């Protein structure tokens, strides 16, 4: 079964960015745009950056999302199951605090599931290592986009079972309110970037021509097991970086002219920003050898 592990990285640096207090309050439309597209990566696009810098609010958020190259995200329906040791998973109802964060990110927890539904899910999950088709058919039949399995331990271990693959992670139970943001970021990335599959999303800025593009693609190939082009927007090029079972962006680029850029906060709150950081599947770099290599 395709299994990806999320390893939180650069967490301390991100916390400093959030806690520094330098971020301005986000405009009232920012969270609406987040809900419309599902992922914080939309705020890295030139169209949205220009809207944030403007003194006038966007006239039409749908048009802004499309101008940024994003589709409208319909949200997602989930099962939320809790496991303990070898016991059968049981459906859990999110408390008010967790539900608030789920609602903010467009995630709806389906409560009307039966023991037979859970048994069918377990059976399809057991065979998914060799044949994922029964799992895909079951989720489609029940109109469920994903299933979350959470442990009762601390740190809390979780699995986000999607039709094509499974994401895994762990988090101290005190940070459980970040979980909806981690899940939403991952599910929305798959929606917005169908070609991403089991990879991390890496955007390289400062690409000013085909020669520089090929240099950057080749450079990424030395730190990713495989690289696929996803999108070109001006001088920003997005790649899918596949690195085995770890769905994380490369942190060390050696002597390559790829310099990691910090995520801008855009005035979004801590929950949203930490959800992106803890998902660990997006990275911003700047190519700094464009002029030297030409």
């Amino acid at each position: 079964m395709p299994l990806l592990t999320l390893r939180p990285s650069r967490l301390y640096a991100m916390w400093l960015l959030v806690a520094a207090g330098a971020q301005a309050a986000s405009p009232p439309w920012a969270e609406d745009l987040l809900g419309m597209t599902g992922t914080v990566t939309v705020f890295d696009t030139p169209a949205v950056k220009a809207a944030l810098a403007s003194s006038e609010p966007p006239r039409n958020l749908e048009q802004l999302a499309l101008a940024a190259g994003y589709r409208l995200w319909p949200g997602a329906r989930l099962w939320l199951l809790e496991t303990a040791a070898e016991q059968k998973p049981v459906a859990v109802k999110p408390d008010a605090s967790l539900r608030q964060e789920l609602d903010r990110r467009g995630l709806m927890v389906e409560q009307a599931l039966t023991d037979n539904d859970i048994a069918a899910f377990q059976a399809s999950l057991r065979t998914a290592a060799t044949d994922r088709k029964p799992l895909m058919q079951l989720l489609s039949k029940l109109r469920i986009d994903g299933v979350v399995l959470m442990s009762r331990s601390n740190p809390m271990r979780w699995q986000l079972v999607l039709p094509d693959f499974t994401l895994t992670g762990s988090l101290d139970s005190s940070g459980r309110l970040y979980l909806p943001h981690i899940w939403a970021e991952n599910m929305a990335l798959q929606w917005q970037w169908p070609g991403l599959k089991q990879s991390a999303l890496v955007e390289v800025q400062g690409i000013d021509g085909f020669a520089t593009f090929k240099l950057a693609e080749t450079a990424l190939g030395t730190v990713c097991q495989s690289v696929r082009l996803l999108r070109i927007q001006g001088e920003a090029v997005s790649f899918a970086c596949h690195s085995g079972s770890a769905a994380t962006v490369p942190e060390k680029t050696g002597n390559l002219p790829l310099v990691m850029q910090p995520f801008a906060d855009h005035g979004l709150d801590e929950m949203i920003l930490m959800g992106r950081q803890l998902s660990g599947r997006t990275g911003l770099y700047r190519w700094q050898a464009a002029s030297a290599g030409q």
Side-chain angles (χ1 to χ4, degrees), residues 159-210:
Q159 293 184 338
L160 174 59
V161 182
L162 302 175
D164 294 334
F165 58 92
T166 298
L167 290 159
T168 69
S170 63
L171 192 67
D172 189 272
S173 58
S174 63
R176 67 187 185 89
L177 295 185
Y178 295 133
L179 288 172
H181 299 278
I182 298 172
W183 301 332
E185 277 296 317
N186 278 288
M187 298 185 78
L189 282 175
Q190 298 303 128
W191 169 262
Q192 296 293 355
W193 308 85
L196 188 61
K197 300 185 183 299
Q198 303 168 41
S199 304
L201 175 65
V202 172
E203 180 179 301
V204 182
Q205 301 172 342
I207 304 298
D208 58 0
F210 181 74

Side-chain angles (χ1 to χ4, degrees), residues 23-72:
Q23 68 266 33
S26 62
W29 53 265
E31 196 158 327
D32 291 334
L33 181 65
L34 174 63
M36 191 174 290
T37 59
T39 168
V40 182
T41 58
V42 71
F43 292 93
D44 299 325
T45 63
V48 176
K49 285 181 178 179
L52 288 168
S54 173
S55 58
E56 297 293 329
R59 294 183 178 180
N60 188 307
L61 286 182
E62 286 191 17
Q63 290 181 0
L64 177 59
L66 295 174
Y70 282 67
R71 300 187 291 163
L72 301 184

